[in-house]
Amino acid sequence: MTNQSVIESLVRQAVRGVLQATPAAGVQPPGWVDGKPNLRVSISARHCHLTDEHVEILFGKGAKLEPEKPLYQDGFYAAAQTVMVVGPRRRMLPSVRVLGPTRSHSQVELALTDSISLGIDAPTRHSGDIDGTPGCVLVGPAGTVQLERGVIRAARHVHMNLHDCQYYGVENGDLMKLVVKSPACSVTFDDLLVRADEAAKLEVHIDTDEGNACNLEAAEQVELQKQTDSCKCHG
């Protein structure tokens, strides 16, 4: 292939990529406002995810999760049900919210102060990465579940759709920075994992410790930036 042919091929690929990522006229991607991404930063408080089997053990035979409040991401919700999380030496968190829908593995997501309170050395992991993590006991009104693994400190991340990725020049698995400008306690959070999905709305998740550290409620400005000074080390 000649140099000219190579150039023409690269141009065609680039044009196809732009066309695929450009919203159709009059149609805004999920979460966009006035033709551009609308960034939301949410504090993800401690919570747990359950399997269908564990829902029945904890809340009774035939029990299903009861949606109480929809979350920002479509199809996800805070359930009416809560569980008690019990750690070593009977330390406990009495009321931890269950999020739905159910999953293939049960998992408990805590902030660092929560894990210290429970006496559990919870590693920082991305959701679903639970191999080699500590467990706990879950207590519900109808029974108990001994988790052999699944207690983590949820790593900060950003949900994006494909149009958001095009806007910021990133792709699934990349790392970004979140800059939070707050009176007297501005903070930059590195290593936000990009979790891209066609239907996602632009939303950063940080835990309660991180939200308190930057005084998120008083934030005057939040900004996402592509991170270029770090490798993709997501473990």
Side-chain angles (χ1 to χ4, degrees):
M1 183 179 290
T2 66
N3 288 341
Q4 183 62 32
S5 298
V6 171
I7 292 172
E8 290 176 355
S9 176
L10 292 173
V11 169
R12 284 195 295 271
Q13 292 177 23
V15 169
R16 281 198 300 270
V18 171
L19 291 176
Q20 291 171 356
T22 301
V27 178
Q28 292 201 120
W32 281 36
V33 175
D34 297 330
K36 62 182 180 180
N38 181 41
L39 175 60
R40 172 179 290 218
V41 180
S42 299
I43 294 176
S44 183
R46 59 182 181 240
H47 62 272
C48 71
H49 302 277
L50 299 175
T51 64
D52 290 325
E53 176 188 5
H54 288 168
V55 169
E56 289 204 1
I57 294 173
L58 293 165
F59 301 103
K61 187 173 180 59
K64 303 289 184 183
L65 291 184
E66 303 168 13
E68 182 174 79
K69 179 182 178 181
L71 302 180
Y72 185 58
Q73 299 298 325
D74 295 335
F76 297 86
Y77 57 86
Q81 292 99 321
T82 63
V83 295
M84 179 186 293
V85 177
V86 183
R89 298 183 296 280
R90 297 186 182 275
R91 297 181 184 180
M92 64 188 69
L93 297 172
S95 184
V96 175
R97 184 68 54 186
V98 180
L99 300 189
T102 54
R103 293 190 176 185
S104 58
H105 295 87
S106 292
Q107 173 179 301
V108 178
E109 299 185 25
L110 306 172
L112 178 60
T113 49
D114 296 325
S115 63
I116 292 173
S117 176
L118 279 176
I120 296 177
D121 186 14
T124 300
R125 295 284 187 88
H126 292 290
S127 184
D129 181 11
I130 60 174
D131 287 345
T133 59
C136 66
V137 175
L138 303 179
V139 181
T144 63
V145 170
Q146 172 73 58
L147 291 185
E148 299 301 326
R149 60 178 185 170
V151 180
I152 65 171
R153 181 186 181 193
R156 62 185 77 106
H157 57 274
V158 53
H159 293 279
M160 288 184 157
N161 59 55
L162 304 184
H163 300 291
D164 296 326
C165 288
Q166 176 71 17
Y167 182 91
Y168 285 99
V170 297
E171 59 185 32
N172 187 56
D174 281 350
L175 298 177
M176 301 191 74
K177 296 182 179 183
L178 175 70
V179 180
V180 181
K181 298 292 186 181
S182 296
C185 59
S186 296
V187 176
T188 297
F189 294 107
D190 292 343
D191 302 331
L192 272 75
L193 179 71
V194 173
R195 295 171 60 179
D197 181 86
E198 193 170 319
K201 292 181 282 190
L202 184 60
E203 182 183 26
V204 169
H205 281 166
I206 58 178
D207 67 25
T208 49
D209 292 342
E210 293 164 332
N212 289 334
C214 67
N215 195 8
L216 184 61
E217 290 189 0
E220 299 169 344
Q221 180 183 348
V222 292
E223 180 182 355
L224 269 178
Q225 300 175 359
K226 184 175 181 179
Q227 184 168 312
T228 58
D229 58 351
S230 179
C231 67
K232 297 181 180 180
C233 302
H234 304 148

